[in-house]
Every structure is written in C-alpha cells, then in structure tokens.
Amino acid sequence: MQLTDLTDLTARQLLDGYRSGEFGPVEATRAALERAARIQPEVNAFVRLTEEDALAQAAESAERWRRGEPRGLVDGVPVTVKDILLMRGHPTLRGSRTIATNGSWDEDAPSVARLREHGAVFIGKTTTPEYGWKGVTDSPLSGITRNPYDPSRTAGGSSGGSAAAVALGAGPLSLGTDGGGSVRIPAAFCGVFALKPTYGRVPLYPASAFGTLSHVGPMTRDAADAALLLDVIGAPDARDWSALGPAPGSFTAGLFKGVRGLRVAFSPTLGGQVAVGPGVAAAVRRAVARLAELGAYVEETDPDFSDPVEAFHALWFAGAARVTQRLAPGQRELLDPGLREICGQGARLSALEYLAAVDVRMDLGRRMGLFHERYDLLVTPTLPITAFEAGAEVPENSGFRRWTGWTPFTYPFNLTQQPAATVPVGVDGDGLPVGLQFVAARHRDDLVLRAAHALYEAGAAAVPPGGAVVV
C-alpha cells in the first residue's frame, strides 16, 4: 500500500493494517499530518497542528504494536479535536481573541482523556466559530473554514474544521461539539458521518455555558468508526455531574443487526413547516426507500410539535451572555459582531422568560417520548439546503436573520437530548453533499448507529468518490 493511500482509510482499516504489520502508526500519522498541511491553505480546517507531539505519540504506539500490546481500541489512530475541548499541553482558544494563550493548559477534556488512554495520536486542534455560537465556521481569531467540495462555500459549523479534516483525510476520527446541530450541520455539508449522542453519554468538562443543550460527539468517515469512537469516549468521568453511567454494552457490537422490522417515521418537511430544496428532498427520499427495501416498516408521518426556535433562542442567547459575562468592555469589542448581538439579547432575558423556554423544552421532550413509543426511528433531512457561500451566517437573500433559520431539523433534538446522526446520502444538482438525519429515543444511540450502518453496508450512504475538489 502506498503511503498516500493511508489518508483514505477508516480508523478500523488503519487498525487492521497495524495488526497485520502492513504499515504502522508512524506512517499513518505522517500521512495525516502531510494531508492536513496540504489542505490548510485552501480549507483552513486547523487552528494548529501538533506535529512534534503527534509523531512522538505515534512512535510510542508503534512500539506497543511491535510488542503485540496495543494500549486500547484506537491505539495509533490519528485524531483531531475541535478547539472547544481542552487538550493537555496546547491552548484551547475557542475561536476567540478574548482568551489568553499563556494559560497552564494542563488538563484534558473527558473525551480527550479517554482517547489518550486508548493510545490515540492527536494531530491538531480544529477550527470553530467563537465559542461555538453559530452554524458556520468563521471567527475573528481563525478566519473562514471552507467546504472541501467547493471552497467558495461554507463547511458549516460549529464543528466545521473537524468535518473538513475528516472529509479530506486529515485523520479519520474527530471530536466535535453539538449544541444546536454543530456536528450534524458541517458533517452534512462536507459529506461525512456525525453523531450527537444522548446527552450525558459523553461527559463534558468544563461544563458548557449552553448547559444541557451541548453534547460531545464523533465525526467520522462512517457509522462503524463512530461506534468505535463512542465505545472509547462514552465512559463516565467524575468531573461531569450530569454524565450517564457506563454504556450497557459495546456500540460496535450492536451495529450489524440491520433495520429489518424497525418502525421508521419519515418526516420530509416536519409537517410542511420546512421548505426543503428539491435536490435534498430527492436524495433523502431515495435513501428512505432503501431502508424499506432492507426491511424497515416506513411510514410518512410527522412528530407532533411546532418550531421551538424561540425557546431555543432564549436558552442559547442566555448561554452566550453567560460565557461572555466577565469580559471587559474593550474585550467585548473583539467579539464576532453576531455573537455580541445575541449576548445583548440574552442578557436582557428575565428569569421567567428563561423558565418559560424550559417549559417549552420539557413539553417537546414529552411529545417526542410518546412519539417513540410508536416509532423506533424518525428520519428527516439533516438540513433543507446544501452548503452556501462561505463567510455568511445565512444564505444570501434567504430572509433569515440567524443560523437557526436554515437548521430547523437539528436544534429541536438538542432541546430533547435525543441521539441524532447525519448520514451522507448523495449530492444535489451542484455536486454538494446531502445529509439524512436519524433520530431515536433517548438512550437508543445503538438504533441510530445500527440504521446508519445499514445504509453504509447497502451502499446508500455515500457521496460520489472524487467529489471533494481540495485534496
């Protein structure tokens, strides 16, 4: 196998190569670092590459594999980490010019710590909008992150750097965060897989200012790699008081049961509430037809809720105000103007208005709980559109004020804390990736992964090879 081919492999394929001795962690890490450096000028997926540390970690992994004693499930696999999550030895600046670089930076976030325990190789920190506040990835600190399929368009956000890195072979595994769609949005725009697990399945520390809206999730080439990554990072951590206990079993082990007999509700427009582009609608409908061919019982029906965007805004804007509360006036002038605007709105909310939004959230959770007594899975488009112009929060002439205007399929399931994943199911007429979203009841991450894996196995989860123009 040629060295350059290593960037095309999944984590599982890399591990098979290490096991057989065909190649090793050092070769895979060098290939990932070279690819990252090559794509950076055009895509801007990275805040920083950690080449020296990565090569040292890879050499240690290679020695463990030589002895036949790999440390864990992902020993030697190149991994990237969104620059919202702490990674020991390197600054975590969260896309903001208001954070000093000279901190101690001596602690790992729980998900990073679990990966380190399992021998992962950390090749870099990926870009984010400031404090992860919006559904595209540009920031005053790092500039604009661009789409691998068309660099004039956005990679999505807020985990846009991670999505672009995975799509272009700069490490097969990445950690993202999702407070309103932030792993699913960029994964859909960039043609990769992402899972927002049930809230608490992956511990988060420090706690997000956006509270229990924010989840940590895998961003990968396919569902099987995501299951592997979730097996690693879905372990408890004492620093997160809201984390769940140990998973009931391996997510990887449950992948292969297929979808035969599952009750699937297909909601193409959330009951006419969302205008979906024709290319998106057609690609999603083809994939849903494939689910039926694979034995799922598919019914076109809608969950019983209206758009909860105002409640989401109240919670989201209040969180933004909280995260910037201690900034001095001069520091506030350094913020992304859109972030500064929503912070002002959040600061003006009363406690009663905040609690009214919580009431909407609880009622939405009740409605979805009852819905999943009838259906194992809900299927929707991940987004109603494909990637639009880079550097803009909303598509030109869309009439939307905020990013939530074009993400109506994602943020409701942060409010309900349900597992939700996006699967690439083709491209639109412009050759841009389209995502399909699976949603399951809380704690049924296994069903989301299982259904997504079935689409991959059937060849229905993919974008055309060679579609990415940046390589």
Side-chain angles (χ1 to χ4, degrees):
M1 180 176 294
Q2 296 298 312
L3 184 60
T4 52
D5 294 339
L6 297 182
T7 59
D8 296 330
L9 300 185
T10 65
R12 291 164 297 108
Q13 289 169 328
L14 288 177
L15 292 165
D16 287 343
Y18 301 166
R19 208 169 282 116
S20 69
E22 187 176 0
F23 51 81
V26 173
E27 293 92 337
T29 299
R30 287 192 186 280
L33 286 166
E34 288 169 8
R35 177 60 61 86
R38 191 184 314 160
I39 67 174
Q40 180 63 9
E42 192 162 7
V43 174
N44 189 32
F46 289 91
V47 176
R48 72 190 61 84
L49 293 172
T50 54
E51 180 174 4
E52 185 177 344
D53 284 359
L55 290 173
Q57 292 161 10
E60 293 170 1
S61 173
E63 176 59 22
R64 292 192 293 270
W65 280 103
R66 188 194 66 77
R67 296 196 308 265
E69 299 172 352
R71 178 186 291 171
L73 295 178
V74 292
D75 200 345
V77 176
V79 175
T80 58
V81 177
K82 182 181 180 181
D83 201 38
I84 290 287
L85 298 169
L86 295 178
M87 190 171 86
R88 192 176 71 223
H90 299 279
T92 297
L93 302 181
R94 299 176 173 88
S96 184
R97 293 180 293 175
T98 67
I99 296 177
T101 61
N102 60 352
S104 57
W105 310 115
D106 57 359
E107 195 169 19
D108 283 330
S111 50
V112 176
R114 301 295 85 76
L115 279 166
R116 200 181 297 278
E117 291 162 5
H118 280 259
V121 172
F122 297 99
I123 69 166
K125 299 295 291 290
T126 57
T127 53
T128 175
E130 194 162 21
Y131 295 105
W133 80 272
K134 60 184 175 180
V136 293
T137 301
D138 58 72
S139 75
L141 180 68
S142 304
I144 298 170
T145 297
R146 298 178 181 274
N147 193 291
Y149 284 76
D150 180 349
S152 72
R153 300 182 189 241
T154 180
S158 62
S159 306
S162 287
V166 170
L168 291 168
L173 305 178
S174 193
L175 293 177
T177 62
D178 189 314
S182 288
V183 299
R184 291 162 290 156
I185 295 165
F189 276 179
C190 294
V192 298
F193 181 84
L195 169 69
K196 177 187 75 68
T198 300
Y199 179 80
R201 172 47 54 215
V202 181
L204 177 60
Y205 170 85
S208 171
F210 300 107
T212 57
L213 293 172
S214 190
H215 307 220
V216 177
M219 304 182 73
T220 58
R221 290 282 184 84
D222 60 21
D225 266 11
L228 172 66
L229 183 48
L230 190 57
D231 279 341
V232 173
I233 65 176
D237 190 291
R239 294 172 292 175
D240 183 353
W241 65 271
S242 64
L244 299 175
S250 164
F251 292 103
T252 300
L255 277 177
F256 307 99
K257 297 177 182 178
V259 296
R260 184 168 299 279
L262 292 183
R263 303 163 298 167
V264 175
F266 173 40
S267 179
T269 63
L270 292 180
Q273 297 182 77
V274 184
V276 177
V280 172
V284 170
R285 193 168 287 276
R286 284 193 297 270
V288 170
R290 192 73 180 104
L291 289 172
E293 292 169 3
L294 294 171
Y297 298 115
V298 178
E299 178 183 346
E300 191 163 322
T301 189
D302 304 301
D304 174 29
F305 66 81
S306 56
D307 188 356
V309 67
E310 293 306 322
F312 179 81
H313 280 170
L315 300 173
W316 193 252
F317 295 176
R322 175 63 176 164
V323 80
T324 59
Q325 184 179 24
R326 292 180 176 83
L327 295 181
Q331 287 181 300
R332 287 185 177 277
E333 293 304 310
L334 300 176
L335 293 174
D336 180 326
L339 174 59
R340 195 162 60 241
E341 182 179 331
I342 70 164
C343 288
Q345 292 176 256
R348 291 190 292 272
L349 288 167
S350 70
L352 288 178
E353 287 170 319
Y354 186 92
L355 290 173
V358 173
D359 286 344
V360 171
R361 181 181 194 180
M362 291 190 292
D363 183 63
L364 181 60
R366 176 188 65 84
R367 290 170 185 268
M368 288 308 301
L370 294 172
F371 181 83
H372 283 291
E373 288 190 336
R374 302 192 304 276
Y375 300 101
D376 299 302
L377 291 164
L378 170 66
V379 173
T380 73
T382 306
L383 297 165
I385 59 174
T386 53
F388 54 89
E389 59 270 23
E393 183 184 346
V394 300
E396 188 176 8
N397 299 321
S398 65
F400 299 133
R401 177 74 182 115
R402 296 264 78 103
W403 61 271
T404 44
W406 52 270
T407 61
F409 292 113
T410 60
Y411 56 77
F413 305 110
N414 292 81
L415 289 166
T416 62
Q417 303 187 337
Q418 293 171 251
T422 183
V423 183
V425 291
V427 295
D428 70 357
D430 294 325
L432 296 167
V434 171
L436 172 151
Q437 179 175 237
F438 285 112
V439 183
R442 292 175 72 245
H443 311 295
R444 293 313 308 267
D445 306 73
D446 60 315
L447 284 182
V448 170
L449 288 164
R450 173 177 150 191
H453 183 66
L455 283 184
Y456 277 100
E457 290 286 285
V463 293
V469 298
V470 181
V471 289

